[in-house]
Amino acid sequence: MDDRSLTTTDCDVVVVGAGPAGTCAAIVLARAGLDVVLLERGPFPGSKNMYGGVVYPRILDELIPSWWEEAPVQRWVTRRSTMVLTPDQALTVDFRSQRWGAPPYNGATAYRPDFDHWLAAHAEAAGAQLVCSTTVTGLLRDAGGRVVGVRTDRPDGDLRTRLVIACDGVNSFLAKEAGLYPPVDAANYTLGVKETLALPKDVIDERFGVRGREGVDIEILGGTGGVNGGGFVYTNLDTVAVGAVLKLPKLAAQRRRPEEIIAGLKSHPAIAPLVEGAEVKEYSAHLIPEAGLSMMPRLAGDGMLVAGDAAAMCLAAGIWLEGVNFAMASGMYAGRAAVEALRAGDLSTAGLAGYERRLSSTFVLRDHRKLRRAPSLVLSDRVQHVYPELITSVVERMFRVDNPAPKPGLRRIVRDETKRLGVRTRDLVRDGIDGLRSFG
Amino acid sequence: MTAVPSTAPAVVAVCLKWTPSPFDGGPLGPDEGDDRFAGVSPADRAALELALQLSDAIGASVTAIAAGPSAADRVLRDAVAAGATRAVRLDMAAGSDSRDVAFELAQVVADACVVLCGDYSLDRGSGAVPAFVAHHRRCAQALGLVSVDVTASASSVAGAPDGELTIHAVRRLDGGRREVLAVPTPCVLSVEGSVASLRRAPLRRALAARSAPVEVIATPPAHHHGAPAIVTPYRPRARTMPAPAGEDVLGRLRALTDAGTSGGRGETVELAPREAAARIVDTLRGWGYLD
Amino acid sequence: MTAHGTPRNHDHAHRWPEISFQDRMDTVRFDVHERAHIVVDGSKCEGCSTQHCVVACPANLFVPTSDGGIVFNYEQCFECGTCYLVCNVEGAITWTYPDGGHGVVFRRT
Ligand SMILES: Cc1cc2nc3c(=O)[nH]c(=O)nc-3n(C[C@H](O)[C@H](O)[C@H](O)COP(=O)(O)OP(=O)(O)OC[C@H]3O[C@@H](n4cnc5c(N)ncnc54)[C@H](O)[C@@H]3O)c2cc1C
Ligand code: SF4
Ligand code: SF4
């Protein structure tokens, strides 16, 4: 079986990784009638995958109309809060929209072992050949350096192909092996750790103020001690996910371990009433490519495309933590560009340029460009360690009734508090402008 | 490679017990009814590996059989990917009566020279299926094997005057003893998970096996085919026992468990099968396990 | 916008069942393979002043020894990649994914 000549191929495209990126690429390719093999190292798609908890699947409108009728959704997010925490204060911006609780919906909580498994079944139905329990260990390249296949850890495990799409997630050893990545810097990554906590559905409904399939998404700034990062709380049907996202160099350089940081979050007076009494059902961890545009690899090489977290497509900009939708979209566009290139018979970097073109004209790279400063701003020391305290103390003084003293004016409060916290007006103004530029 | 001199090619059969949840599931509870977590026991995987090795050595083909709903097709396709040549599924609900499963299995494995099974299933089954299969086929059985010598078994064919295959194996006995066996074929063997570890399926076979055909055999509803009625391990009634003799706690524990003694309370007797069976029943009755 | 003040009568410590680290890891399913997918060269660790892996590994698999070395167990690993990213000593960690089908299996993540 092994004596196939060097020029024949086993299939048109090998997609590595059956996460949201790889699966969407495989769906597009298989529907175009191409022979596509989808390789996944876990025993089933989703078994290796962990995230905070909310998917924004509107991009699936293009691939699976009425996805909401069949996707394994836990709850539809109808309430989204952003919390700023100091050790004993919390400021919450709370938004609720009942419109998000009806088709076409907005965000949904879902377990990845369910969601990815469901999505991959669509790729199989479209004709993609999914093989699980298979780890890709390297690329096959010809003398000119062009990618011509993959090596797997199965016996007789080389697969020769016309195009490889690497959707192998945040560590993407394939994109690195292909030389598409700039030197790797730990500062571009955050570690996500979370606990899945069990609570009866009615208790969750009551504590979070929701009914039926409505759910809540809470993003948290502060609350992670000295480690730059953030936290999250998401409601599933009968579990609550609580976790922290921690900047690697900062995490490594201090003494509190990840699970202790989660414990700190859970004991915060604003969070504790939501999760008290709940038993840990599963503990998990995964990396996030946090630095967006500034860490992105080249997206195409000869015979190869990179999509999803493997290409740092995850948007992690403070109050946004979206990766699954960016992965699905980039996978889908990689699939379309691949179909185009295969039909044209040009799988060189130039022939695959349609991929980046598509990303640039859609939300995938547009959002990244717009928010390119956000990750570093949100994870900066001032935003992480000083501004939460500043904001909450200003609000605390605004709402404090110090009779018989008259209410102080807002301007005076801000002046007092910035002075007390040693914030220089110059920095405050600059960060404010940066913030407007980043998020405006 | 030694071929079995018979007209039809030899068949080695392996029975895979499909279990809805091979893991206990931890605090989340068993992942019952979830195909993603369904599978077969390590002992069954070892049985499959042995079947493949044996078939390689004697030039036989391997038939893999599972009893279960259509979700069980996946473990059969995995077996085909690893090298099985034929996949058969007995369409039955998970947890069907051992006697029914064994009767149906016996029909499918009727032409097999060796039938391999794992010695226990993950859902704490009775472990009785292999014995029942041997009963239906009226053939030899050797259960709970800790090793099977594939090379010696394969070369037995050449040495035998009638070209018959003999399986050379080792069985675990109480008290850490081993029994070396030469089992005539056809036979039913059950093996422990440690006898072999299942090979990885080659990539191309794994790809091809995705669409491998699985023969589905419809089975009639429960019928308990002519086998004895006791299928669960017998649990003796509680009795008052005198305290074991011994000076101190350790001594009493020793007396109770036979630990550290060479012979213990057991005895080794050499008898013809019929007398041996009678002796076992008598002894068990004497100990109060049978009434 | 709402602002919660300082807590009043909240005794917020220990309001959920305490859980030991081993119990925490026992909530996770691992199909362990006999091959160690991560190998740590303890001799390289002896000269390491930071030992960043010890605090950062979410599975707490790096245990410092009294003589300045590291004991590492690969079995209960999330395959996240944190350790090789925070380690500054060339060659101390050899990191691969476990063989296909093995390692961590998430269920409610
Ligand atoms: C703590 C945390 C919270 C998050 N919260 C959110 C959120 O709330 N909403 C959101 O949208 N996003 C969130 N994300 C981001 C999101 O999870 C990712 O962006 C998304 O999963 C990327 O999808 P992907 O398909 O590119 O990669 P992955 O989902 O990582 O999939 C990669 C796949 O490739 C497989 N694979 C890897 N290497 C190999 C190999 N060598 N051979 C074979 N297979 C291989 C893996 O097993 C995996 O199945 C979060 C991430 C984390 C870590
Ligand atoms: S593994 Fe790396 S970080 Fe950890 S002790 Fe060894 S050298 Fe230091
Ligand atoms: S990969 Fe993650 S869980 Fe595994 S040893 Fe490294 S840091 Fe720990």
Side-chain angles (χ1 to χ4, degrees), chain C residues 73-109:
Chain C
N73 291 301
Y74 73 95
E75 287 90 351
Q76 296 191 315
C77 166
F78 290 121
E79 301 149 32
C80 65
T82 299
C83 52
Y84 81 79
L85 282 172
V86 299
C87 174
N88 292 318
V89 177
E90 185 72 35
I93 299 181
T94 309
W95 205 99
T96 62
Y97 285 124
D99 290 35
H102 291 273
V104 70
V105 181
F106 289 131
R107 291 167 293 168
R108 311 282 197 280
T109 55

Side-chain angles (χ1 to χ4, degrees), chain B residues 73 76-81 84-87 205-215:
Chain B
D73 285 356
L76 288 170
R77 294 212 166 93
D78 286 350
V80 171
T85 28
R86 182 178 165 219
R205 285 201 68 117
L207 269 167
R210 295 179 64 258
S211 53
V214 173
E215 292 167 43

Side-chain angles (χ1 to χ4, degrees), chain B residues 12-289:
Chain B
V12 174
V14 55
C15 307
L16 302 169
K17 174 151 184 183
W18 177 81
T19 316
S21 177
F23 305 92
D24 64 3
L28 282 169
D31 302 292
E32 212 68 68
D34 189 331
D35 298 347
R36 289 174 298 175
F37 301 103
V40 300
S41 71
D44 282 5
R45 284 202 293 274
L48 173 57
E49 175 61 28
L50 264 184
L52 295 171
Q53 288 178 13
L54 205 55
S55 70
D56 282 347
I58 64 172
S61 67
V62 174
T63 301
I65 309 129
S70 61
D73 285 356
R74 208 193 64 216
V75 306
L76 288 170
R77 294 212 166 93
D78 286 350
V80 171
T85 28
R86 182 178 165 219
V88 181
R89 177 167 60 83
L90 302 171
D91 197 23
M92 305 178 109
S96 295
D97 189 280
S98 301
R99 286 165 292 174
D100 295 334
V101 175
F103 180 81
E104 301 298 340
L105 283 175
Q107 317 303 310
V108 182
V109 303
D111 62 340
C113 59
V114 178
V115 180
L116 276 149
C117 309
D119 74 333
Y120 63 92
S121 54
L122 290 157
D123 51 359
R124 297 203 190 81
S126 61
V129 168
F132 284 148
V133 173
H135 165 82
H136 286 300
R137 289 226 19 213
R138 307 274 184 259
C139 70
Q141 56 175 302
L143 309 184
L145 302 180
V146 291
S147 80
V148 174
D149 188 334
V150 172
T151 324
S153 305
S155 46
S156 70
V157 179
D162 47 1
E164 278 301 322
L165 173 70
T166 303
I167 300 296
H168 292 269
V170 178
R171 168 164 66 181
R172 186 193 299 282
L173 296 180
D174 288 349
R177 277 168 298 201
R178 296 281 188 271
E179 183 181 14
V180 179
L181 302 170
V183 192
T185 51
C187 62
V188 177
L189 309 175
S190 83
V191 298
E192 293 193 354
S194 58
V195 297
S197 59
L198 180 59
R199 62 193 66 183
R200 294 286 307 276
L203 183 58
R204 263 169 256 282
R205 285 201 68 117
L207 269 167
R210 295 179 64 258
S211 53
V214 173
E215 292 167 43
V216 179
I217 297 180
T219 56
H223 34 220
H224 307 327
H225 286 278
I230 302 166
V231 289
T232 46
Y234 179 67
R235 198 159 160 231
R237 249 178 285 127
R239 291 192 300 152
T240 321
M241 302 283 281
E247 291 279 280
D248 50 5
V249 178
L250 193 59
R252 286 192 290 278
L253 263 178
R254 281 219 172 94
L256 197 63
T257 59
D258 289 353
T261 60
S262 53
R265 283 191 297 159
E267 53 178 326
T268 309
V269 291
E270 307 254 352
L271 292 171
R274 189 169 294 276
E275 280 88 66
R279 177 69 173 273
I280 290 171
V281 171
D282 280 349
T283 311
L284 286 175
R285 191 164 283 139
W287 287 348
Y289 289 113

Side-chain angles (χ1 to χ4, degrees), chain A residues 228-293:
Chain A
N228 304 31
F232 56 79
V233 177
Y234 298 116
T235 57
N236 296 309
L237 270 180
D238 54 6
T239 66
V240 174
V242 180
V245 169
L246 308 163
K247 195 165 164 140
L248 279 195
K250 289 279 183 175
L251 169 66
Q254 47 90 59
R255 307 198 78 83
R256 272 172 91 211
R257 290 196 28 84
E259 74 278 5
E260 293 167 353
I261 295 175
I262 299 187
L265 257 182
K266 279 166 63 182
S267 64
H268 190 281
I271 311 286
L274 300 176
V275 297
E276 66 185 340
E279 192 192 339
V280 180
K281 289 295 184 184
E282 196 169 6
Y283 173 56
S284 53
H286 202 283
L287 286 180
I288 305 173
E290 182 85 30
L293 268 193

